[in-house]
Amino acid sequence: MNKEIVEIANRVKKYCDNKHRYDEELFNLGVELGRQLERNNIQSYRPTVFVEFEDKNNAYELLSNEFNRIESVIEFLIHTAIKKHIDAHGDFEFSKGFTCTKFDSDIVEKFCVQLTRVTQQEYGGHFEAEFKLSGDVVDLLKECAIAEYVRCDVENTSGDEHETIYRTENISHIVFGIGLHINRHSGNWDLDKLKVLAEKLEQKQAWLSLQGI
C-alpha cells in the first residue's frame, strides 16, 4: 500500500485511540469532502459546524473564567469564616444534619456566609456542606440571578459522622470544591454583568484582606 496512505491511516488510529472515539462515518464524510475539494481546486476549507463549535466553546470559556473568579471569592469568604471561628472557639465541626456548627453573628455580618446543612451519603464517607450567603454578597448575586446557596465537599478524616478542624492550615485541604448552584452551560448568562459581579466581589475580598484578616 502507498506509504503516504499508511502514514495517514496510522495518524487516524493514533487520533482515535487518544480520543477513545472511532467514528467511521465521520471519516468517510471527510474522505468524500476531500475529493470534492480536490475536484474544485479548493485549497482551504473549514466546515461551518467546527467554526460554530469553536465560537460556542470560546464563549463558554469566557463565562467560565468569570464564574471561577466569583467562586474563588466565595471560597475565600468560607475559608476565612471557618478560620475566624477556630481562632475564637478552638475548632470547627461538620456533622451530619441541620444542627451543625454555626458561625457567630459577627462572622456572618463580616463574611456574609452561614453553614446551613451537612449531608453524608454513607457512613464514614465524605460530607457535602451547604452554605447560605447574605448581606451585600447576596445582593450582588441577585443582580445576575444567582441563588444565595453554595455547596462544597468536606473530607472525612474521622471515618465517622463528623469532621472537626482544629488547625487553620488544614481548612483548604478539608473544605474544597466550593461552587455555586448554577448551570454554566445555560445560554442566559450576561458576560458583562458577571464581570462586574466578579470585580465587586474581588474588591470586597481585597478590602477584607487589607484589614489583616
Side-chain angles (χ1 to χ4, degrees), residues 62-80:
L62 290 173
L63 287 172
S64 187
N65 181 62
E66 299 309 317
F67 283 125
N68 290 342
R69 291 172 63 193
I70 294 165
E71 289 176 345
S72 177
V73 175
I74 293 172
E75 179 179 72
F76 164 82
L77 295 173
I78 290 174
H79 283 178
T80 310

Side-chain angles (χ1 to χ4, degrees), residues 75-91:
E75 179 179 72
F76 164 82
L77 295 173
I78 290 174
H79 283 178
T80 310
I82 294 173
K83 178 183 182 299
K84 289 301 178 183
H85 185 94
I86 293 174
D87 289 342
H89 301 282
D91 62 41

Side-chain angles (χ1 to χ4, degrees), residues 59-60 63 67 145 182-191 194:
Y60 172 78
L63 287 172
F67 283 125
I182 56 172
N183 176 9
R184 294 192 179 199
H185 292 279
S186 170
N188 298 324
W189 300 114
D190 186 316
L191 179 60
L194 290 174

